[in-house]
Amino acid sequence: MTTSIAHRDGALAAFVFLGGAIAVGAWTVLLGFYAPAAARHLWIGFDLLLVAGMALTGWLARRGDGRAALTAAGLAALMLADVWFDVMTARPGHRPASIVMACTLELPFAAVCAAFALRIRARGWR
């Protein structure tokens, strides 16, 4: 793989993953104010794990580090778990919104994470 391809792929991935970390971080702050008190600390903790995974993946990608494949794959799995718990624990009137959010944001991002991990492996990042 040429250096310019790795640099371009890494810069784009860093933008996507670091942007995601900022967006989920802002969402997590909102959760602190509006999530049901009974589960607030669990959701905030899980979302902070997602933020950390996104930030680490973005940082590794920017450096062209092949370990970004591992963090992206782990992040894909965490995103799928997030979808499952978001939909299954949604309050009675909020499940449709949870499903829409899963289908438009969380599942596509999980697919991006998995595709990025496979792309890194296929291109042979070190």
Side-chain angles (χ1 to χ4, degrees):
M1 172 178 64
T2 66
T3 304
S4 64
I5 292 172
H7 179 72
R8 186 187 69 227
D9 287 353
L12 177 60
F15 177 77
V16 169
F17 286 106
L18 295 173
I22 292 168
V24 174
W27 174 256
T28 303
V29 170
L30 288 175
L31 276 179
F33 293 108
Y34 298 109
R40 184 177 302 146
H41 65 285
L42 295 173
W43 287 121
I44 290 172
F46 191 82
D47 283 350
L48 288 175
L49 181 62
L50 292 175
V51 168
M54 289 176 196
L56 181 58
T57 302
W59 180 71
L60 289 170
R62 183 69 183 112
R63 295 183 47 186
D65 191 323
R67 292 176 293 182
L70 298 173
T71 59
L75 191 54
L78 287 173
M79 291 301 297
L80 293 176
D82 189 38
V83 166
W84 175 260
F85 286 110
D86 283 349
V87 172
M88 300 314 290
T89 63
R91 291 181 286 187
H94 294 89
R95 183 158 291 154
S98 182
I99 292 170
V100 167
M101 193 166 171
C103 291
T104 59
L105 291 173
E106 296 165 329
L107 289 173
F109 193 75
V112 166
C113 292
F116 180 65
L118 292 172
R119 182 179 178 101
I120 290 171
R121 301 305 301 161
R123 294 238 172 145
W125 284 22
R126 300 274 177 225

